[in-house]
Amino acid sequence: MERKIITTLDGSTTIQLVELNECYHSKMGAIQEAYHVFIRNGLDKFDDKPLAILEIGLGTGLNAFITYLESQRKKQNIHYTGIEAYPVSLEEARIMNYCEQLNAQDEESVFDAIHTLPWNQENNLAENFIFKKRQQFFNEITDVDSFDLIYFDAFGFQVQPELWSIEIFEKMFKSLKEKGVLVTYAARGIIKRNMQSVGFKVEKVPGPPGKREMMIGYKN
């Protein structure tokens, strides 16, 4: 499948799967989408308390990198786990312009580490940021009461509807701790119903640029 590096409207890059017309991040702006969906509507809900975060899926590493930068700014302790079945190559990752766009050129070694560190091992990207990546399919996740926050950033429903199924959201619900939160860019009615059917209380909120709404799921 042909893969292209494209520049989104905020100047940051993403990967496009040409045949599927699907991108790893919004064409309206990769960085601004990541901040709106996962930081402002996810991470920031927890103030500065220590957090365990699960990302579905790790992809280009943008969400993990931005969360790392926020943890350094806030002095917040974070244990971050990224799940990815089909890892982005190091060559592709190094074409991404995130360090430049985020004015974080001095953290380029951290962005590289997200892609070069060994799988299934905990690594300290900083004293307050533990990072682990797991190469597995989402339906293989068996965590229970392990995470405070889930970044659900799978490919879109129109491309891979099986990733937005009741089965997957049941795994997400079980993996969250009590009072845990799941955030996603998605807003389809069928996705909302699937989330609700496994126990999530679902709230629709304004989406990032180019998208009217997004959803937040709460485990109460």
Side-chain angles (χ1 to χ4, degrees):
M1 187 175 296
E2 183 183 357
R3 299 161 67 88
K4 287 174 58 178
I5 307 297
I6 65 170
T7 301
T8 67
L9 290 183
D10 68 359
S12 57
T13 52
T14 191
I15 298 172
Q16 181 184 40
L17 305 178
V18 177
E19 287 93 329
L20 298 178
N21 191 30
E22 180 75 359
C23 292
Y24 279 66
H25 307 286
S26 171
K27 292 181 181 179
M28 299 298 294
I31 286 176
Q32 67 182 4
E33 177 194 42
Y35 267 104
H36 181 92
V37 176
F38 302 111
I39 303 303
R40 298 189 191 102
N41 284 289
L43 183 66
D44 288 351
K45 287 184 175 295
F46 292 88
D47 298 318
D48 298 337
K49 78 170 195 175
L51 286 182
I53 299 175
L54 175 67
E55 181 179 10
I56 308 291
L58 183 63
T60 65
L62 174 59
N63 297 331
F65 186 55
I66 286 177
T67 303
Y68 164 81
L69 295 177
E70 288 295 299
S71 75
Q72 300 312 291
R73 182 179 68 82
K74 296 179 176 183
K75 309 301 182 188
Q76 183 177 14
N77 291 321
I78 291 179
H79 191 295
Y80 196 101
T81 301
I83 306 291
E84 181 60 56
Y86 302 102
V88 168
S89 71
L90 181 59
E91 291 73 23
E92 287 176 312
R94 284 180 170 163
I95 297 172
M96 299 294 108
N97 65 354
Y98 302 143
C99 294
E100 175 188 348
Q101 290 290 308
L102 291 163
N103 295 316
Q105 291 92 335
D106 57 339
E107 300 283 9
E108 188 172 347
S109 62
V110 172
F111 182 73
D112 273 2
I114 289 170
H115 296 280
T116 58
L117 286 170
W119 295 86
N120 302 311
Q121 293 184 22
E122 291 188 348
N123 301 274
N124 285 79
L125 296 184
E127 185 177 343
N128 64 326
F129 196 96
I130 299 172
F131 175 74
K132 182 179 182 179
K133 56 183 181 178
R134 296 176 0 204
Q135 188 172 2
Q136 64 181 153
F137 293 105
F138 303 156
N139 62 5
E140 297 172 339
I141 293 171
T142 58
D143 303 273
V144 176
D145 298 329
S146 299
F147 302 101
D148 303 288
L149 175 61
I150 294 175
Y151 296 169
F152 200 89
D153 198 19
F155 283 137
F157 181 89
Q158 72 280 2
V159 176
Q160 289 187 301
E162 69 276 10
L163 302 184
W164 304 86
S165 65
I166 290 173
E167 175 195 3
I168 296 298
F169 283 118
E170 188 170 34
K171 289 179 176 291
M172 298 300 99
F173 193 81
K174 288 179 178 178
S175 70
L176 279 173
K177 301 175 185 177
E178 195 68 23
K179 305 297 183 183
V181 175
L182 180 150
V183 287
T184 180
Y185 64 86
R188 284 180 182 246
I190 188 173
I191 296 173
K192 180 180 180 181
R193 292 190 292 274
N194 287 348
M195 291 173 66
Q196 290 173 325
S197 73
V198 304
F200 281 108
K201 178 183 176 182
V202 180
E203 176 187 15
K204 283 192 174 183
V205 298
K211 192 167 181 61
R212 187 166 62 89
E213 294 178 316
M214 56 165 281
M215 291 189 294
I216 306 172
Y218 299 91
K219 181 176 180 177
N220 293 327

